[in-house]
Amino acid sequence: MNPPDGEERRASLAATGYADINRAADYLFRSGGKRIRPLLLILSARLCNYRGPHEHPVLLASAVEYIHAAALLHDDVLDDAAVRRGHDTARLLWGNKASILVGDYLYTRAVDQVIRLGNEQIDTVLAEACRRMVEGEMLQFSHRRDLAITEDVYMSIIDGKTATLIATTCALGAILTGPSNEHRDALTRFGRYLGLAFQIADDALDYAAAPAKLGKNLGADLCEGKITLPLLHLLASCSGRERDLVEQTVERSGAAAGDFQSIAQLMERYGSVAYALAQSREFASSAVKELAVFPPSSHRDALEVVADYVVARDH
Ligand code: FPP
Ligand code: MG
C-alpha cells in the first residue's frame, strides 16, 4: 500500500496514510447509505434536551456510522456479496483482504473517537453493542442452511446483528444528556424495536423488492443460506412437496435465479413476505409507543417519521 499524495489525502474522508484504505473507505461512504444511525443519535440527543458541547453528539454519530461501515465491509466478505448500495462491493473491487483491513481501520477509528469523550458509560455500552453484533453474526453463521431453526433463534440473530447497535445509538442520546434512566431505557427499547423492524423489512425486501431500487442482489439471503422470517413462514405454511423444493434449494450452495423465482412464487401464494412486513410494522408501532414518555416535539415527530420510513421503504 502506498501513502497518498497531499491532494488525495485532503480529499479523503478517512485520511489515513494509506491510499488503498482511503480509496476503499471513501468509496463506501460516498456510495450513499441511509445514515439512519447518525440521524437517530442526533434526534435522540435533541429529544433529551442535550445542551452540552455541540461536537460530542456529532463525534458519537460519526463513530457509530464508522462501526456500521466496518461491520458492512466485514459482512460483505462473510456473505461473498457483490453489490452494496447499488455499486460493486469493496471486496469485489479491492479484494477481501483490503476490505477486512479497511473495516478494522474504521472500527479502531471509532474506538479512538469514543474514548476521547472520556465517558465510561458510553465506552461500556458501545463495547457491549459491538460484542453483541459479532455474537449475532456468529449465531447466524452457525445456523446457515439450517432449516430447523426456530423463529426465536432468528429473532436472536437479528437482535444481535442489527437491533443492538440501533438501540445503543438511541440510548447514547440520553446517556450524553444526563442521568434519566427512564428516558435512556425508553430510547433503548425504541431503538431495539426499530432495529428489529428494520431487519425484518430488509429480509422481506430481499424476496420482493424492485431489483433496480434495492441496491443489492435480490435473493441474496437464499443464495447465502440465510434462513430469514419470510422463509420460516413459508416452511411453516407450505405442503410436504413444496417443503422438499425449499429444502433442496437451501441446501444447494448458491441457488440459481430459477430457484429464487420458484421460492418467491411460493411466498407470494402463502403470503410470506406480507407476513414478515406485518411483523415489521408491529415492531415499528411498538417503537413509536416508547416515545410517549417524551413530551410532544418536532424531534419526537421526526423519530416517528424514521419508524414509518423503516417499514415503508423500498430499498
Ligand atoms: C448485515 O446483515 C450485517 C450486519 C447488520 C452486521 C454485521 C456484523 C459483523 C460482520 C460483525 C462485525 C462487527 C464489528 C463491530 C466490526 P445482512 O447480511 O443480513 O444485510 P445485508 O443484506 O445488508 O448484507
Ligand atoms: Mg450481508
Side-chain angles (χ1 to χ4, degrees):
M1 287 186 170
N2 299 319
D5 61 28
E7 202 45 51
E8 191 178 352
R9 189 169 184 152
R10 263 192 301 283
S12 162
L13 290 174
T16 72
Y18 297 92
D20 293 0
I21 292 207
N22 294 347
R23 201 181 317 124
D26 284 355
Y27 177 77
L28 187 71
F29 287 123
R30 290 188 204 282
S31 65
K34 297 178 259 305
R35 309 279 195 263
I36 281 181
R37 291 157 192 81
L39 176 66
L40 288 171
L41 197 141
I42 303 287
L43 286 175
S44 301
R46 290 189 179 168
L47 188 69
C48 296
N49 284 320
Y50 176 76
R51 295 273 180 266
H54 161 74
E55 61 280 10
H56 288 190
V58 176
L59 269 175
L60 270 185
S62 66
V64 167
E65 192 65 11
Y66 279 153
I67 293 170
H68 175 58
L72 291 185
L73 283 164
H74 288 183
D75 180 70
D76 285 341
V77 172
L78 288 166
D79 291 346
D80 290 323
V83 188
R84 161 85 56 202
R85 296 174 176 170
H87 300 278
D88 289 347
T89 48
R91 62 170 286 278
L92 211 67
L93 293 173
W94 297 291
N96 285 341
K97 292 176 186 177
S99 282
I100 289 169
L101 264 181
V102 176
D104 289 344
Y105 178 77
L106 292 176
Y107 177 70
T108 51
R109 175 101 185 239
V111 171
D112 188 48
Q113 264 179 220
V114 172
I115 58 176
R116 273 163 207 265
L117 293 183
N119 182 324
E120 204 177 309
Q121 195 184 356
I122 292 179
D123 298 346
T124 307
V125 293
L126 267 174
E128 160 124 9
C130 291
R131 177 176 58 74
R132 294 205 49 211
M133 272 171 94
V134 180
E135 285 172 355
E137 280 288 306
M138 291 195 294
L139 189 61
Q140 176 173 271
F141 185 73
S142 67
H143 284 287
R144 64 201 183 283
R145 301 191 194 286
D146 175 7
L147 288 164
I149 77 164
T150 59
E151 216 170 291
D152 281 353
V153 173
Y154 166 78
M155 292 306 295
S156 296
I157 291 171
I158 67 169
D159 197 9
K161 76 173 184 177
T162 305
T164 301
L165 184 62
I166 296 183
T168 302
T169 300
C170 295
L172 285 173
I175 294 171
L176 257 184
T177 306
S180 161
N181 287 349
E182 188 199 7
H183 286 171
R184 184 201 58 205
D185 294 348
L187 278 168
T188 304
R189 287 191 297 272
F190 167 79
R192 178 161 179 265
Y193 287 136
L194 190 73
L196 295 173
F198 183 92
Q199 189 59 49
I200 294 172
D202 217 62
D203 293 343
L205 286 171
D206 197 77
Y207 284 98
K213 289 204 168 150
L214 187 60
K216 297 186 270 194
N217 282 338
L218 206 62
D221 289 345
L222 186 64
C223 221
E224 292 156 16
K226 272 186 205 153
I227 317 300
T228 59
L229 195 57
L231 200 67
L232 285 173
H233 179 271
L234 178 61
L235 284 165
S237 320
C238 66
S239 69
R241 272 223 339 247
E242 290 163 339
R243 193 185 162 94
D244 290 344
L245 172 81
V246 177
E247 282 179 1
Q248 285 158 17
T249 307
V250 170
E251 275 156 18
R252 260 197 298 276
S253 64
D259 293 330
F260 171 71
Q261 289 308 335
S262 315
I263 303 292
Q265 275 164 16
L266 282 177
M267 284 190 178
E268 176 73 33
R269 183 179 320 153
Y270 288 103
S272 304
V273 170
Y275 168 80
L277 287 174
Q279 295 287 311
S280 170
R281 278 194 294 274
E282 286 263 318
F283 280 117
S285 106
S286 300
V288 167
K289 285 187 192 129
E290 295 294 340
L291 298 176
V293 296
F294 296 96
S297 68
S298 57
H299 311 307
R300 196 179 89 171
D301 292 347
L303 286 170
E304 288 183 16
V305 170
V306 176
D308 286 344
Y309 163 76
V310 157
V311 286
R313 70 203 165 101
D314 56 9
H315 67 286

